[in-house]
Amino acid sequence: MPLPVDHDVAIIGAGPGGCVAAALLNKAGLRVGIFERTRFPRFVIGESLLPRCNDILDQAGLIDCIKDRAYMVKSGALFVVGDQRRAIHFNEQFTNGWAYTWQMPRADFDNTLAEAVRASGVSLQFENTVTAVETGAVQTLRVQGPDGESRDIRTRFIVDASGYGRVLPRLLDLDEPSGMPLRHALFAHVRGDRRPEEAADGRTWVTVHPEGAWTWIIPFSNGQTSVGIVAEPEMLAAYPTDPKARMRAVIAGDPVAAEFLSEIEFVIEPGEIHGYATAVKSLHGKGFCLVGNATEFLDPIFSSGVTLAMESGARAASLIIRELAGDEVDWATDYSEYMMRGIDTFRTFVEAWYDGSFHTVLFAPNPKDSITRMITSVLAGYVWDMDNPFVREHKRKLPQLARLLTRMQPDSASTVDSKNVRPQNR
Ligand SMILES: Cc1cc2nc3c(=O)[nH]c(=O)nc-3n(C[C@H](O)[C@H](O)[C@H](O)COP(=O)(O)OP(=O)(O)OC[C@H]3O[C@@H](n4cnc5c(N)ncnc54)[C@H](O)[C@@H]3O)c2cc1C
């Protein structure tokens, strides 16, 4: 006789990973409860989606509420390093995927998803913080409500979608040091982005500072722009400690960013994250799994975080539905291996960005259309398309291409001068 529970599935955190999982579990007829520490809307960084997100939003029945918000349509990205520019167009892909997605303030985006999920029948409780867990025949979460009182919630399965809260990694000793070097991010919403008309097409711009930092410029439909800087701590140590002064000083030293952002006004105070990369020993255990940033977060350079959060939320939901229906689920193969395939593809590209080899590929003169399409599909988040050689054999293909291009263009101005503009490789 099954023990009585409050919810079939309890989800920790109402970010995109938690909301996608909740929507799909609820659609399958399961009783879902989300416990969220904050009250939405709340600020969170990660404002640029990849087209793969649209597939998942669609699958979860959440795409119409997002379309209704009239966010900035994102058609691709523009990488600017010194005099070199390379545009990525999501409508020119290898994978038959979405040709666009959105850029938006996450406070509004996450609140829209959370309200849609709640309206569909999910129990969503803000200002409810998960503080302890016990796993066994049923799972128990200790939850502290807004009045400071704690209560126990019994559930058949727990999804940890707590992002940087890292609830189960902390409580169950699953945290592991990330293999990514320590980097620092500084970010704000601003007014006064003076980019030319072409910027109005909603692409993310990425510029590179001569000392190795890079800057993102993400336009919103509300007239504001998200600006963020990622740098190694050694570089930032030479800059002012006040976050606004620091952002202005780094921007002033990057000729491309300075041209467009020298007159910005801050709409929100700059935020900072020191050492954002995370990793875990395991993505699942008996009666629970981790999704989104509670698993592994690599780096913001290719805007992959929300895509990975949504993909893992959707994948976890499909397996939980089977498990709670009595099927035997192979979590190691069908969840961990599947997710790590996508994460590892991005890892190869992120590492190639920081060691400079991706710049060689990006700025190659006369790039071959078929290869550009394959790389664009990776950058669009289609990192589970095993027909794409740059997914299937990412570890071999990307360095091989960079080496070939370097040999073909040894003295070309189009290969990046590693002394001047390549982000520092450690
Ligand atoms: C500098 C930087 C820039 C980035 N830029 C991008 C980008 O452009 N595009 C992109 O896709 N990604 C980006 N990311 C990554 C992105 O922010 C995350 O990958 C994404 O937000 C993860 O979603 P999530 O649902 O896993 O977690 P989150 O969105 O972080 O949601 C987790 C939720 O859990 C709640 N929570 C935490 N602890 C508890 C608790 N104890 N009890 C209950 N609730 C709890 C939190 O309040 C939060 O609402 C960036 C990251 C960084 C660091």
Side-chain angles (χ1 to χ4, degrees):
M1 168 107 170
L3 293 164
V5 290
D6 300 288
H7 304 282
D8 292 318
V9 185
I11 299 179
I12 312 171
C19 280
V20 160
L24 289 163
L25 292 163
N26 181 59
K27 255 171 114 177
L30 294 168
R31 289 170 303 146
V32 183
I34 307 183
F35 302 92
E36 165 56 49
R37 183 177 59 190
T38 64
R39 176 159 290 281
F40 284 14
R42 54 87 177 93
F43 178 88
V44 66
I45 196 64
E47 299 138 330
S48 186
L49 301 185
L50 300 181
R52 173 66 187 152
C53 290
N54 298 23
D55 295 283
I56 302 163
L57 287 168
D58 199 14
Q59 184 194 344
L62 293 169
I63 201 156
D64 289 338
C65 65
I66 296 304
K67 283 184 177 168
D68 287 348
R69 300 304 294 161
Y71 294 132
M72 177 64 80
V73 170
K74 173 184 175 186
S75 60
L78 182 74
F79 292 88
V80 191
V81 179
D83 294 338
Q84 304 173 104
R85 288 176 173 224
R86 176 70 74 214
I88 298 290
H89 302 286
F90 290 146
N91 62 352
E92 293 169 7
Q93 285 194 54
F94 172 85
T95 305
N96 183 19
W98 286 72
Y100 73 93
T101 187
W102 294 281
Q103 321 261 31
M104 69 288 134
R106 280 285 298 282
D108 193 84
F109 179 77
D110 288 19
N111 193 44
T112 302
L113 293 182
E115 288 307 332
V117 160
R118 177 185 261 168
S120 71
V122 169
S123 155
L124 164 58
Q125 300 183 51
F126 288 126
E127 296 180 89
N128 274 264
T129 303
V130 174
T131 56
V133 64
E134 226 173 84
T135 56
V138 293
Q139 326 311 321
T140 307
L141 289 178
R142 169 71 47 89
V143 180
Q144 188 176 43
D147 54 5
E149 294 292 314
S150 287
R151 64 200 190 280
D152 285 346
I153 301 293
R154 291 156 66 86
T155 180
R156 296 165 73 194
F157 203 97
I158 300 169
V159 175
D160 183 3
S162 63
Y164 281 114
R166 307 193 65 67
V167 175
L168 295 192
R170 279 188 294 107
L171 296 173
L172 300 178
D173 189 26
L174 298 172
D175 259 323
E176 192 170 63
S178 163
M180 305 300 287
L182 196 75
R183 296 193 174 94
H184 193 96
L186 256 172
F187 42 83
H189 292 178
V190 306
R191 276 204 200 88
D193 166 8
R194 299 274 177 258
R195 284 175 303 154
E197 274 299 291
E198 66 188 275
D201 74 353
R203 280 179 294 180
T204 297
W205 281 33
V206 172
T207 74
V208 175
H209 189 285
E211 290 173 54
W214 62 269
T215 297
W216 78 69
I217 310 175
I218 295 176
F220 296 147
S221 58
N222 64 6
Q224 298 175 12
T225 303
S226 167
V227 176
I229 292 163
V230 173
E232 298 195 350
E234 294 82 352
M235 174 189 158
L236 287 182
Y239 283 80
T241 48
D242 170 67
K244 278 187 187 167
R246 185 174 258 198
M247 276 191 87
R248 286 194 192 281
V250 177
I251 287 168
D254 171 349
V256 181
E259 187 181 346
F260 305 116
L261 302 177
S262 57
E263 293 168 28
I264 52 171
E265 291 162 43
F266 291 93
V267 180
I268 57 162
E269 288 297 304
E272 293 189 71
I273 301 184
H274 186 61
Y276 45 70
T278 58
V280 283
K281 292 174 197 151
S282 174
L283 269 56
H284 62 91
K286 191 168 164 24
F288 74 87
C289 71
L290 315 177
V291 307
N293 262 33
T295 61
E296 173 145 5
F297 178 67
L298 298 170
D299 195 90
I301 180 61
F302 297 123
S303 302
S304 58
V306 174
T307 305
L308 293 170
M310 288 190 178
E311 185 84 31
S312 54
R315 186 77 179 182
S318 69
L319 298 177
I320 294 165
I321 291 164
R322 280 179 40 208
E323 180 157 315
L324 296 190
D327 282 3
E328 193 70 39
V329 172
D330 181 352
W331 282 87
T333 307
D334 293 342
Y335 188 62
S336 293
E337 271 182 34
Y338 175 85
M339 282 313 303
M340 290 317 293
R341 220 178 294 148
I343 292 170
D344 285 341
T345 303
F346 273 119
R347 191 191 317 278
T348 296
F349 277 68
V350 167
E351 287 173 354
W353 169 262
Y354 286 103
D355 73 18
S357 54
F358 187 69
H359 294 224
T360 307
V361 171
L362 201 56
F363 297 112
N366 311 314
K368 209 170 158 195
D369 181 59
S370 58
I371 290 180
T372 300
R373 284 174 178 273
M374 290 169 193
I375 288 171
T376 300
S377 282
V378 170
L379 301 187
Y382 290 102
V383 286
W384 290 272
D385 179 356
M386 296 304 273
D387 291 335
N388 183 346
F390 283 83
V391 171
R392 197 176 57 240
E393 295 179 82
H394 55 91
K395 265 199 180 133
R396 193 173 70 82
K397 280 279 176 192
L398 193 61
Q400 188 184 50
L401 177 61
R403 277 196 304 274
L404 181 73
L405 290 167
T406 306
R407 273 205 302 275
M408 283 166 63
Q409 302 289 333
D411 302 319
S412 164
S414 288
T415 48
V416 173
D417 177 341
S418 62
K419 280 198 289 301
N420 291 327
V421 292
R422 189 181 75 176
Q424 290 156 9
N425 177 26
R426 312 189 70 209

